[in-house]
Amino acid sequence: MLSFFRIFLVISSIILITACTSSPKKSGSATLSPKLVAKLQAMPLKNAFPIPVQHVESKQLTDTWGASRSSGRTHEGIDIMAPRGTKVYSTTDGLIASLSPNNLGGNVIWILGPSGSWHYYAHLKSHKRGLKVGDYVKKGDLIAYVGNTGNARHTAPHLHYGLYLNGKGRGAVNPFPYLR
């Protein structure tokens, strides 16, 4: 039986997802299937994810969590360096919730994952052709290519990967310990 908190998270996620996906976007409009959202909410979040960038091994990762950023911000993720165009894979099963670009991340992907987790992939060169909001992806599926868009346009190409446990863009946790 689901606890009150889990029921609250499911309902909140459905409301948030509907709000985030019900209006037209540059990437195409779609709504997320409530049935798939409920399925994901019921799935446990694993404590280890594959590294999302092709040919990158754990010994090559640097923990950039919490590093200083412009305007007094701190880094809410990990930067994974790789050549422009390197393949980016989903770290988990989930639903493509947003493909809309933003000023900081440039070309981004938000994936709603197990247990209401949110996975953020930023500074992408591009998304996989044909990827759209509402698509269900599996762990290891190709979703994008490394770039340096957004506020990373003057840096070396890399993937910014963020993990949020309290909703889209809320409750950031360090993804570094999860990547193996």
Side-chain angles (χ1 to χ4, degrees):
M1 182 170 186
L2 292 176
S3 69
F4 173 78
F5 181 70
R6 286 192 54 85
I7 292 170
F8 173 77
L9 281 177
V10 169
I11 293 169
S12 298
S13 292
I14 291 170
I15 291 169
L16 178 63
I17 290 163
T18 302
C20 290
T21 61
S22 59
S23 61
K25 294 180 172 35
K26 291 179 186 175
S27 58
S29 65
T31 55
L32 302 184
S33 161
K35 182 178 176 181
L36 290 176
V37 170
K39 174 185 172 184
L40 286 165
Q41 288 286 350
M43 292 171 63
L45 181 65
K46 307 256 186 211
N47 62 5
F49 306 143
I51 296 170
V53 179
Q54 182 181 41
H55 303 307
V56 174
E57 298 177 12
S58 58
K59 65 184 176 186
Q60 297 171 274
L61 298 178
T62 301
D63 189 355
T64 56
W65 171 262
S68 294
R69 293 296 188 257
S70 62
S71 303
R73 297 177 302 113
T74 58
H75 197 228
E76 290 187 351
I78 179 175
D79 289 337
I80 304 172
M81 309 309 286
R84 181 183 327 283
T86 302
K87 292 178 179 179
V88 174
Y89 301 103
S90 180
T91 58
T92 185
D93 289 6
L95 284 167
I96 303 294
S98 177
L99 298 171
S100 296
N102 65 52
N103 289 336
L104 290 177
N107 296 326
V108 304
I109 297 176
W110 281 97
I111 294 179
L112 174 62
S115 202
S117 60
W118 287 86
H119 303 260
Y120 180 63
Y121 304 80
H123 307 309
L124 304 168
K125 176 183 174 210
S126 61
H127 308 123
K128 174 186 149 193
R129 185 177 298 182
L131 192 67
K132 61 188 180 310
V133 171
D135 285 352
Y136 190 88
V137 294
K138 301 286 248 169
K139 177 177 75 174
D141 283 355
L142 174 66
I143 57 171
Y145 303 91
V146 170
N148 62 337
T149 59
N151 69 353
R153 66 188 160 277
H154 301 296
T155 68
H158 65 278
L159 170 70
H160 169 95
Y161 175 67
L163 176 61
Y164 297 84
L165 300 182
N166 294 333
K168 184 179 178 187
R170 296 191 326 265
V173 297
N174 187 352
F176 182 79
Y178 288 84
L179 298 174
R180 301 187 190 153

